[in-house]
């Protein structure tokens, strides 16, 4: 991982001035970002929920994704402030969902593994 970081960081630093050329206020950029975020977020949240069985995480992430989609679809009707508020709230919910998902996936599971059994359980089994 360190080698990948050391190889990619100089490339990112070289490309950083190019970000000024992007038209971040363009609606097409916003649409393409949502299109890129949807499948990756749904996949990550779903895989995490299969592991830890906490479906509130999936609900939180999907609520954020719904707000992001609404911001793209209804942005012109809600005005600039409404669009920015929906985008900010949606991205915050998605980020919180991913953070919660990550923390739950890193927790040790409550499986009945031999290393987690107490001595009384081992006596009753064998």
């Amino acid at each position: 991982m360190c080698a990948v970081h050391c190889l990619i960081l100089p490339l990112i630093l070289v490309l950083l001035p190019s970000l000024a050329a992007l038209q971040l206020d363009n609606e097409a950029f916003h649409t393409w970002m949502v299109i890129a975020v949807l499948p990756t977020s749904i996949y990550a949240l779903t895989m995490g929920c299969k592991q830890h069985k906490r479906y509130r995480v999936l609900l939180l992430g999907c609520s954020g994704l719904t707000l992001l989609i609404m911001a793209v679809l209804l942005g012109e009707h809600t005005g600039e402030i409404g669009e920015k508020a929906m985008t900010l709230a949606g991205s915050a919910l998605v980020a919180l969902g991913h953070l919660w998902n990550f923390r739950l996936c890193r927790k040790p599971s409550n499986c009945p593994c031999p290393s987690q059994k107490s001595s009384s359980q081992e006596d009753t089994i064998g």
Side-chain angles (χ1 to χ4, degrees), residues 44-102:
L45 292 169
T46 304
M47 292 285 101
C49 282
K50 283 183 180 181
Q51 182 177 349
H52 54 68
K53 306 285 191 243
R54 300 263 177 98
Y55 295 101
R56 284 184 267 169
V57 176
L58 184 62
L59 181 64
L60 181 69
C62 287
S63 298
L65 292 172
T66 301
L67 279 173
L68 289 174
I69 292 168
M70 286 175 49
V72 169
L73 297 177
L74 305 175
E76 293 179 12
H77 302 294
T78 60
E80 187 175 344
I81 293 174
E83 181 179 7
K84 286 182 181 180
M86 281 192 288
T87 301
L88 182 61
S91 58
L93 289 176
V94 171
L96 285 172
H98 283 303
L99 180 63
W100 192 10
N101 192 31
F102 176 75

Side-chain angles (χ1 to χ4, degrees), residues 14-26 29:
V14 168
L15 294 175
L16 199 57
S18 302
L19 289 176
L22 286 175
Q23 297 178 0
L24 298 178
D25 58 346
N26 187 352
F29 177 79

Side-chain angles (χ1 to χ4, degrees), residues 1-13:
M1 193 56 113
C2 183
V4 171
H5 179 269
C6 291
L7 290 171
I8 291 178
L9 186 63
L11 180 65
I12 290 173
L13 290 175

